[in-house]
Amino acid sequence: MRLGPREITRLVVERKWLVVGFIVGAILLVLPTPLGLTRQGMAVMIAVFQVLLLGVSSREVARSFMSDSVFFIMGSLMLAVAIVKQNLDRRIALFILNLTGPKISRIVFGVVTVSAIIASFIGEHTVAAMMLPVGIT
């Protein structure tokens, strides 16, 4: 299938951020390495460019960078998303409001108390990720 100028223009407009990303990537490859760029910063750039420019699968790139702490944070955020999907954040927020009433200082005390009770079973970072949607609700 041969693309004409109209089709090419339409594809570029639809995928403008991909084109912008490639242009920025090409510019970054030409520029010299900044003096303050740390080794960790270079590793992140390597991961991004391996996927974008070399066509290495993101799964293989992720395997080389994964650690236990990354899995812990990812699991905490997954748990928070599951709570929001099941509307448990609203249930917890309504439970706190039923116990404390409309006064702000009591609501804060209720959130802290519920967070402390949950933190006795799971990690505090996970509780923070779980209680963020409750606070927003």
Side-chain angles (χ1 to χ4, degrees):
M1 179 173 131
R2 190 166 180 209
L3 296 175
R6 240 186 203 172
E7 289 83 16
I8 292 173
T9 304
R10 184 178 54 82
L11 285 173
V12 168
V13 169
E14 286 177 0
R15 293 177 172 80
K16 62 184 167 194
W17 292 114
L18 181 63
V19 172
V20 169
F22 279 123
I23 292 171
V24 169
I27 291 170
L28 287 174
L29 286 175
V30 173
L31 292 175
T33 306
L35 294 176
L37 186 61
T38 63
R39 190 159 180 81
Q40 291 84 6
M42 285 187 216
V44 171
M45 295 300 293
I46 289 170
V48 170
F49 286 124
Q50 279 180 346
V51 173
L52 289 179
L53 300 177
L54 298 178
V56 177
S57 73
S58 57
R59 180 176 294 187
E60 290 183 27
V61 173
R63 260 191 219 133
S64 65
F65 286 99
M66 286 293 177
S67 67
D68 292 342
S69 60
V70 172
F71 280 117
F72 175 75
I73 292 169
M74 186 173 63
S76 300
L77 295 175
M78 287 175 157
L79 193 58
V81 168
I83 285 174
V84 171
K85 240 185 189 342
Q86 298 299 321
N87 286 329
L88 192 57
D89 59 333
R90 291 182 184 190
R91 293 180 196 163
I92 294 172
L94 288 175
F95 173 74
I96 292 171
L97 285 175
N98 284 335
L99 287 178
T100 61
K103 197 169 181 182
I104 297 294
S105 60
R106 290 182 180 177
I107 293 172
V108 171
F109 179 74
V111 169
V112 169
T113 303
V114 169
S115 298
I117 292 169
I118 296 173
S120 66
F121 300 106
I122 56 178
E124 56 273 354
H125 293 92
T126 307
V127 173
M130 288 171 49
M131 293 303 285
L132 179 67
V134 172
I136 291 172
T137 301

